[in-house]
Amino acid sequence: MKRKITTDDIQAAVYGGAILGGGGGGLIAAGEKAATFALAVGEVSLWSTDEFSPDNLTATVALVGAPAAPNPCLKPVHLIRTIELLREALPKNQQLVALNTNENGAETTSNGWFHAAMCGLPVIDLACNGRAHPSGMMGSLGLHREEGYRSVQAWAGGDADHYVEGMAQGGLEQASGVVRRASVEAGGIVAVARNPVTVDYASRHGAPGAISQAIKLGHAWLDSGYDGAVRFLQGREIARGTVSQYRCEQQGGLDLGCVVLNDTAKTSLSFVNEYMTLEQGNQTIACFPDLLMTFSDEGKPLVSAHVREGMEIRVVRVPAQNLLLSRTMFMPELYRPFEEMLGRKFAPDSAV
């Protein structure tokens, strides 16, 4: 199906994306600003995967960095610059026919909307992952397991004193590492266009329908509030209380920290941008890729970067099987850097 993104989709995409962000995926105000601006400058078309030939080429557009970084600077020109750089790197016999986002989040669900409005390319109703995740590797469709695959990634971002742009080509992990380090040099965040693949490959290994799901979830929240969103995802509230401790620091271009509640269960959440683990009474109750999300006491989505001590918050858990997930969510090797950061193992047992 083909349809135009309208202004009625903006808040739904942002708030549905924020919930599916699981603490990460960007900031709500920035997401509303970016989506509104995209529709103001041009038309944005959302196409389902079956509107393309299987061998058509799509590329992933993303934001890489730490949402709580003190000096991020990302401008529309940076987004377009990544497309220009990526197109220059493609062989002459290849061309992009579409764009897709890397994940769902308050900002990331609308990744590609501005690019599409300016470049005339459709956005695919597909994300590399139907929830937010902390690394470029997790948003790369399992390409690191494809023998001989060579990653191509273009980035741009930063204010006048910290602007960086470039192109990395090579092993997927190495190229993703270069981009992550570039986000630090840029002040916290860079725009990225990366890893052109066929629509067939993206459909088989990503999360088709992810954008529509975020918009439907957002409408459930807008229409029926917190309870409507929890029902839509078939999740449940797992904790509620006052934040007694909050820690957040930037490490390697990521927000790393924890949230502790004063509830009787002694709830503790760890996060690396997104919430990774939830413990109660010294027992691990839930782990990524289950969706763990914080809400204000009034039921508004609250990203990890905006939690503060003294806040009354609610915590919701949605089992992984209720989400649209990429195969990368079940690749234990992609969890190791975050297990090391947090000093605990929580990767899923199953691999694909």
Side-chain angles (χ1 to χ4, degrees), residues 216-258:
K216 291 175 183 176
L217 170 59
H219 280 301
W221 182 83
L222 291 167
D223 294 341
S224 303
Y226 171 84
D227 291 336
V230 175
R231 281 196 304 270
F232 181 91
L233 290 171
Q234 300 178 62
R236 71 179 182 91
E237 183 173 292
I238 197 169
R240 184 186 295 207
T242 302
V243 178
S244 59
Q245 296 179 46
Y246 176 76
R247 176 176 59 82
C248 180
E249 61 185 40
Q250 277 73 59
Q251 187 176 125
L254 295 162
D255 288 343
L256 174 67
C258 67

Side-chain angles (χ1 to χ4, degrees), residues 59-244:
T60 298
V61 290
L63 307 178
V64 172
N71 299 304
C73 179
L74 200 63
K75 299 179 180 180
V77 66
H78 301 157
L79 306 180
I80 297 303
R81 182 58 179 152
T82 65
I83 301 298
E84 293 172 346
L85 290 167
L86 188 63
R87 280 174 161 167
E88 290 171 5
L90 290 175
K92 291 184 178 180
N93 63 338
Q94 293 184 2
Q95 62 178 13
L96 295 177
V97 301
L99 299 169
N100 61 269
T101 186
N102 61 316
E103 65 181 18
N104 270 322
E107 290 184 64
T108 53
T109 293
S110 63
N111 276 347
W113 292 16
F114 177 76
H115 308 71
M118 295 298 291
C119 301
L121 296 173
V123 174
I124 304 182
D125 187 5
L126 174 146
C128 293
N129 194 15
R131 59 150 302 152
H133 49 256
S135 73
M137 293 291 288
M138 285 182 169
S140 295
L141 301 168
L143 287 167
H144 68 288
R145 290 189 176 181
E146 301 294 326
E147 187 174 353
Y149 180 77
R150 185 175 177 82
S151 177
V152 181
Q153 304 193 31
W155 72 86
D159 61 23
D161 293 329
H162 301 91
Y163 178 76
V164 293
E165 68 170 49
M167 172 71 64
Q169 299 188 49
L172 189 59
E173 186 172 3
Q174 289 73 27
S176 297
V178 170
V179 173
R180 179 66 64 183
R181 289 191 292 275
S183 75
V184 176
E185 295 299 322
I189 292 178
V190 291
V192 183
R194 65 189 183 211
N195 300 335
V197 296
T198 65
V199 172
D200 175 66
Y201 184 94
S203 298
R204 286 187 289 111
H205 300 296
I211 308 307
S212 291
Q213 186 191 50
I215 291 172
K216 291 175 183 176
L217 170 59
H219 280 301
W221 182 83
L222 291 167
D223 294 341
S224 303
Y226 171 84
D227 291 336
V230 175
R231 281 196 304 270
F232 181 91
L233 290 171
Q234 300 178 62
R236 71 179 182 91
E237 183 173 292
I238 197 169
R240 184 186 295 207
T242 302
V243 178
S244 59

